[in-house]
Amino acid sequence: MKWTVIAAALGASAVVAVTASAQSAPPTKEPGKLIVGFDLPAPGFWNGRASGTTLKNPSGFEYELSLAIAKQLKIPKVELLRSPFGGLFSPAPKKYDFAFEEVTITAARKKVVGFSTPYFDANQGVLIRKGLAKPTRIADLKSLQTCAQKDTTGLSYIQHKLRPAKKPLVYSASSTAAFDAVEAGRCDALILDVPIVVSQSNKKKGAYGGVAGQIVTNEFYGAVMEKGSTFKPFLDKAIGTLRANGTLTRLTKKWLPFTRVPVLK
C-alpha cells in the first residue's frame, strides 16, 4: 500500500511537471511556429518582394525584430503572413500571432485589438510634393491640400487638430496610393509617421519635395494581436529583454538611420 501511494505521488508529480512545461511554452497559433503579420510598402521596416501572402528575400527592422523575438522565446520557425493594414482593427480572430505594421497604440484601437508593450516611438512626418515651398510652421499646413492613409493617426491629426481649409484626401488599403498622390502633385502634404515618410523619401529620391518636418505627437508602436491574447505576456517579456540588452537600439540604427528632422511648431 505504501509503495502504491509513493508511485501515485510520483506519477502526479510527473503530470504536474509536464503540465507546467506545456504551460511555459509560448501559446502560438501553431506549435513551434511564430506567424507574423506584415504589410507593404514599409521601407526600412519591411524590405523584400511580396509573393502571394508572404515576402521573398525579407529584411528590415521589424523582420529582424521578429527573428530576435522568436529566438528569445525559443520558437524555431518564423512565418510571414501579409495582412493588409485596413483589416488590422477588426475584432475578428487573427491568423497571425502578432502583426508588426508600424501601428500606433491608441485607446480607441485597444478597445478591439490587443497591443504589445511599445517597441518604437514616432511622431507624424510631413512629406511634401516637388515644387512646394517647405512649410516651416504647423500653421503653414492649413492652406495646403493634405492627404493621409485611412485609419491612421495622421488622418486623425488632420481632422481633429490641424483642421485645414481643404478637406483632406483619404487613401485606403495601403500607403502606396497616398505616396503616389504626393508624387503626382494631387496632394501637397502627406501626414504619416515620420520614420515611414523619411524611409519612402530616401527610397525614391527626387520623387517628392522631401520631408518638411515632424509634428510632435509622442506616439508609440505596438505589435497588434487579438484582444486578450494569451501570447501577450510572452511577447512583452521578449521585447523588454531586447530593449534592455540593446537589440532594439542596434536594429533601429541599422535599418532606420534617420537624419534629424526639424520639428514644426
Side-chain angles (χ1 to χ4, degrees):
M1 183 67 177
K2 181 178 180 181
W3 286 108
T4 302
V5 172
I6 293 174
L10 289 174
S13 298
V15 170
V16 170
V18 170
T19 303
S21 176
Q23 289 178 340
S24 65
T28 53
K29 297 286 183 179
E30 297 182 29
K33 180 192 293 186
L34 182 65
I35 303 175
V36 181
F38 74 96
D39 198 16
L40 301 174
F45 291 90
W46 291 100
N47 307 315
R49 180 175 61 83
S51 177
T53 59
T54 191
L55 190 64
K56 296 292 186 182
N57 302 315
S59 66
F61 173 77
E62 288 175 330
Y63 172 67
E64 286 205 15
L65 181 54
S66 300
L67 298 184
I69 288 169
K71 184 176 181 180
Q72 278 291 320
L73 298 178
K74 296 181 172 57
I75 300 174
K77 185 176 181 180
V78 175
E79 178 180 307
L80 306 181
L81 178 66
R82 188 160 193 181
S83 306
F85 183 89
L88 290 181
F89 309 118
S90 163
K94 312 299 184 187
K95 294 181 179 180
Y96 46 76
D97 295 299
F98 65 84
F100 268 157
E101 299 191 24
E102 311 87 62
V103 179
T104 299
I105 301 170
T106 69
R109 291 171 175 174
K110 287 172 74 172
K111 291 179 180 179
V112 290
V113 297
F115 280 101
S116 70
T117 187
Y119 65 89
F120 190 84
D121 58 277
N123 292 317
Q124 290 298 304
V126 182
L127 180 69
I128 61 174
R129 64 170 173 80
K130 288 180 68 172
L132 182 73
K134 279 194 175 183
T136 57
R137 304 172 304 155
I138 291 177
D140 296 337
L141 303 175
K142 290 181 176 291
S143 62
L144 302 179
Q145 177 59 72
T146 59
C147 63
Q149 184 183 349
K150 184 180 178 182
D151 296 327
T152 61
T153 50
L155 176 59
S156 180
Y157 177 83
I158 293 172
Q159 294 174 327
H160 303 296
K161 294 189 176 181
L162 182 62
R163 299 180 184 277
K166 300 176 184 178
K167 185 177 180 179
L169 303 176
V170 181
Y171 299 95
S172 58
S174 76
S175 56
T176 301
F179 288 134
D180 289 346
V182 179
E183 186 175 355
R186 294 190 297 274
C187 172
D188 293 325
L190 166 64
I191 298 182
L192 190 63
D193 300 13
V194 65
I196 298 177
V197 294
V198 171
S199 292
Q200 181 68 16
S201 183
N202 289 339
K203 178 184 177 182
K204 208 167 183 180
K205 294 184 182 298
Y208 316 100
V211 178
Q214 62 178 307
I215 302 166
V216 177
T217 52
N218 300 308
E219 298 176 34
F220 300 94
Y221 289 169
V224 177
M225 63 193 79
E226 293 172 2
K227 190 171 179 63
S229 171
T230 55
F231 184 66
K232 176 177 165 58
F234 294 84
L235 180 57
D236 285 353
K237 183 177 180 180
I239 291 174
T241 298
L242 295 173
R243 183 184 298 281
N245 67 19
T247 299
L248 278 176
T249 298
R250 177 179 61 79
L251 293 180
T252 299
K253 289 180 178 178
K254 177 180 178 180
W255 292 107
L256 309 171
F258 306 127
T259 55
R260 182 170 176 78
V261 177
V263 174
L264 302 181
K265 297 182 179 179

